[in-house]
Structure formats: C-alpha cells, structure tokens
Amino acid sequence: VRATMMLLGVVIHTALVYCEPQIWVYEDPDRTALAGILVLAIHIFRMPAFFVMAGFFGAMLFDRRGPGGFASHRYDRIVLPLVIGWFVIFPLVAWSLSFAFTWAYLPTEERTIGFAYEKMSLNADFADAGPMHLWFLYYLVYFYLAFATATFLLRRFAAPVAGWCRTAFRSLSLGRLRWIGLPAVIIVTSLQMLTMEKPGIDTTESFWPAWHIIFLYGLYFGVGWAAFGNREIVERLKDWAWLRLGVGGSLLMCALGMSVTTSLAIDGEAEHADAMFIANQCLQATTCWILILGITGVSERLFTRANPAVRYMVDASYWIYLMHLPLTFFIPALFRHWNMWGLVKMPVMIVLVTVVLLVVYHVAVRGTALGVLLSGRRYPVWPFTRARGSEPAPTE
C-alpha cells in the first residue's frame, strides 16, 4: 500500500501536465479534463494513506531496533535522501523545465535535442527553491522525532500512562468502544481539515513549517504508529474489506463532485460557500479513513504470500518517487508536438516515465549501495529470482 501511494506520485505529477484548465507550471497543448479529475481523486487520499503506513512501519522499526537503531536507520533512509536528493533533483527539475519551454517554441527545422540544449538555460536558482515533491520526507522527520521521543519518554518515565494509551487505543479499535473509534477519528480529522485554506488538503510549497498541514498528517501518522501496538487490527480489516473499499470508492466519487462544486462556489463568492466548504472537508475526511481501511483490508486478502514481482516494485518505488519529477516535465515535453488527444498522451507518458525509471533502477541502482539504502534489501536479483545463498535483509 505504501509503495502504491509512492508510485501514484508519477501518475499525479504527469497528469498535471495535461490538466484542463492549466494548473501546473508546464502544460501540454493537448489537454483533457480527465487529467484534472484524476489528479483531484488521487490527491484526496494518497498522502493520508501514505502517512498511516509510514506511522505503522515507523513504530515497527522503533520496536525492533530501539531508539539508537531507529535514529540511525531513519537518518540513512530519510535525512540523507532528503538532503542529497534535493541538491541533485532541484537542478534536474530546473533544467527539465528550461528544456521543455525551449523545445516548445523551437521552429520545426531547428527542433533537435542538440539545438535545444544550446538554447536552454542551465541556471538553477537555489535561493527560491522549495522542498518540491520531497516535502513528505521533511514532514517525516518531524513525525519521527515527535513520536519516537514521546514513545521513549512514556515507556521510560511514565509506563502507566503508556499502558493507558495502549488500552484506550485498543478499546477504540478492537474493544467495546470500537463502534465509536472510527467516528471519533473522522470527527477529529474533519476539525483539522477545517483549518485548510482551500477545499481538500493544502499543499506545502516552503521549507517553513505549515503547522496546520503537519498536524493533519500527524494525526494519520499517529494512528498508524499506534496501530502497530495493536496489530490484530490489520487482521480484523479483512472482514468486510471489499464492502469498505466499495463504500470508500463511492464516497470518493461524491467527494470529487463536492470538491469541484465547492471550489466554484468559493470562486463565485456564493452565500453558501462556507457551509459547502465545511461539508466538503468532512466528506473528504470520511472518505480518506474508509478508503484507507478498505485498501488495507483488501491488500491483506489479496497478498497472502510473497510475490517476487510485487516485492521488486516495492523495492523500486522509493527510487521512482525520488527521481520522477524531472522526467514528468522532460518526457512530455519531448512528445509535445505529437498531435494526439491528451486522453491518449497522458497514460502513454505515465508509462514511459515509469519504464525509464525502472530501467535505470535495474541497471544502475539495484544492487549498489544506493539501492540497498533506498530499498533496505541486500540482494541484487532479477524480479523473479533470488540470489543463491542470500536471504532478504530485515526491512520495514
């Protein structure tokens, strides 16, 4: 589930190029309204689901490795990719955009890669740079520091309080109060959603902390962190999993329509815009939680045993997400002058971006120190084989 949420980043950032009307820094001339619907649908649930999974596996890692091992592992897997990746990826994004705009206006007779390279700018202004798509790593640092520190202090100096917290969560998720657990978390999430400036969840564009966004995603992360101490809940999610997924999918369709209607009402300064905003935020909070529970339960039902192909994509997902943003500008720009419907170009570009990143991962990353760092696994193998005498390394 976590890897899927990462891979959907390729979908959402490529689809932004084809949105009608334009909402992205670069747009293709052949656009489609379906791209905007796809972007909005993914945006509603993707990052909440990711942070629930991140919280669950973060708690697992803290439990297995202890504070020191946890800090070391998170430094290697989160802090280093954030710092090093940002300095590598930002110039690539700047150059990709420069190429895209240069390529767009080249005369047909001069439209060659070499000529575009000569004309494009290779400057990258770091002074105005934001966290880009790496903001989620930045937020994870906050969450790991907060929840790991709180867990350590509670276990060390306030064991009764820690026990009470575990009992309370178990009661709300698995015990007598389980019928009010989901409504309670939906209500708290809805209240936090009301702090957003626009319908849905705001997007951070600065390294300066956006606390209302951090608190919202912190709630999702915290539920995942607490759920690890009550892992029976994952098994219980198999019950009625398909029903939850169906209800969540239906709510997602309703949330899509409500979000568009609310945005139009706000832009038109309608009298009922505030009421619509409140209803929209509550609906999206409800949709997120039911979808997360449904997706997790269905995944537990479908993936009952190890699958080498799935494992391979999980290993590659972190690399794909880190490095995909420059290609979501560069590859669509290469095909800018392909006279085809946006409805066709968009999925083709999504596939091309993913394939290029997978090829680079397999040829130049998997099996290297970078591949081990990003995937947490130590055997460089083809998707359907295992290296002789090797075993998977423990990983989150």
Side-chain angles (χ1 to χ4, degrees):
V1 173
R2 184 180 56 176
T4 300
M5 297 306 114
M6 283 192 176
L7 294 173
L8 283 176
V10 178
V11 178
I12 198 171
H13 288 128
T14 306
L16 281 168
V17 174
Y18 298 94
C19 283
E20 179 63 48
Q22 178 189 353
I23 58 175
W24 199 222
V25 61
Y26 172 75
E27 87 285 358
D28 190 90
D30 302 303
R31 299 190 290 274
T32 171
L34 182 63
I37 296 173
L38 183 63
V39 168
L40 179 57
I42 294 173
H43 181 69
I44 287 174
F45 71 89
R46 183 175 73 97
M47 292 314 299
F50 171 82
F51 280 115
V52 171
M53 298 299 131
F56 185 89
F57 291 121
M60 183 188 77
L61 198 65
F62 186 85
D63 186 71
R64 293 182 178 181
R65 299 200 178 199
F70 174 83
S72 175
H73 189 277
R74 296 293 82 185
Y75 178 81
D76 290 342
R77 290 263 288 163
I78 302 297
V79 178
L80 287 181
L82 171 61
V83 176
I84 298 175
W86 186 82
F87 280 102
V88 172
I89 296 169
F90 177 73
L92 293 178
V93 170
W95 298 337
S96 296
L97 281 171
S98 179
F99 171 83
F101 289 121
T102 302
W103 187 262
Y105 299 106
L106 282 178
T108 303
E109 63 276 7
E110 297 177 346
R111 198 176 297 149
T112 65
I113 298 292
F115 192 76
Y117 175 78
E118 293 178 2
K119 292 291 185 181
M120 64 180 280
S121 170
L122 293 178
N123 294 326
D125 187 4
F126 284 90
D128 297 326
M132 302 182 295
H133 63 302
L134 302 182
W135 66 267
F136 82 102
L137 294 177
Y138 177 50
Y139 279 26
L140 281 176
V141 173
Y142 281 99
F143 299 150
Y144 288 136
L145 285 173
F147 285 92
T149 301
T151 301
F152 173 77
L153 292 177
L154 285 174
R155 289 179 180 178
R156 188 70 177 271
F157 302 107
V161 176
W164 180 85
C165 290
R166 287 193 298 270
T167 301
F169 185 86
R170 182 174 182 82
S171 179
L172 287 169
S173 58
L174 299 169
R176 296 179 179 179
L177 300 178
R178 63 185 181 277
W179 302 110
I180 67 172
L182 181 59
V185 78
I186 288 175
I187 290 172
V188 175
T189 306
S190 299
L191 292 174
Q192 290 188 310
M193 288 284 286
L194 296 180
T195 65
M196 300 295 124
E197 297 178 0
K198 299 178 181 179
I201 302 176
D202 294 343
T203 301
T204 182
E205 299 178 353
S206 170
F207 279 111
W208 187 257
W211 292 109
H212 67 299
I213 304 177
I214 290 178
F215 290 147
L216 175 64
Y217 285 134
L219 174 63
Y220 287 106
F221 185 93
V223 170
W225 185 280
F228 178 75
N230 298 272
R231 293 185 291 283
E232 184 185 344
I233 192 174
V234 179
E235 186 68 22
R236 292 280 188 91
L237 288 177
K238 291 182 180 180
D239 300 334
W240 308 101
W242 287 105
L243 177 60
R244 288 194 192 94
L245 185 62
V247 172
S250 300
L251 288 174
L252 181 61
M253 297 299 103
C254 296
L256 280 171
M258 186 68 180
S259 182
V260 172
T261 305
T262 303
S263 296
L264 292 174
I266 292 175
D267 292 341
E269 299 181 353
E271 293 182 1
H272 55 282
D274 290 341
M276 291 187 65
F277 176 79
I278 294 173
N280 177 76
Q281 300 302 82
C282 294
L283 177 58
Q284 288 201 20
T286 306
T287 301
C288 277
W289 281 113
I290 295 179
L291 262 183
I292 291 168
L293 297 178
I295 291 170
T296 305
V298 169
S299 298
E300 285 293 311
R301 280 183 168 273
L302 295 179
F303 300 102
T304 57
R305 61 184 62 185
N307 184 306
V310 173
R311 178 71 260 180
Y312 186 89
M313 290 303 298
V314 169
D315 290 346
S317 62
Y318 196 12
W319 158 261
I320 291 174
Y321 185 81
L322 289 177
M323 300 304 299
H324 78 279
L325 192 59
L327 289 181
T328 63
F329 296 121
F330 181 78
I331 291 181
L334 280 178
F335 290 85
R336 179 184 179 89
H337 302 288
W338 177 27
N339 187 20
M340 179 53 65
W341 302 305
L343 189 61
V344 174
K345 292 174 76 172
M346 178 181 67
V348 171
M349 295 306 109
I350 291 171
V351 171
L352 282 178
V353 170
T354 305
V355 168
V356 170
L357 289 166
L358 273 175
V359 170
V360 175
Y361 171 76
H362 192 82
V363 172
V365 177
R366 188 173 177 85
T368 66
L370 177 60
V372 173
L373 174 68
L374 295 179
S375 70
R377 297 172 71 82
R378 300 184 180 280
Y379 55 94
V381 296
W382 288 88
F384 303 101
T385 60
R386 174 174 294 177
R388 185 177 300 172
S390 66
E391 292 295 332
T395 177
E396 80 284 25

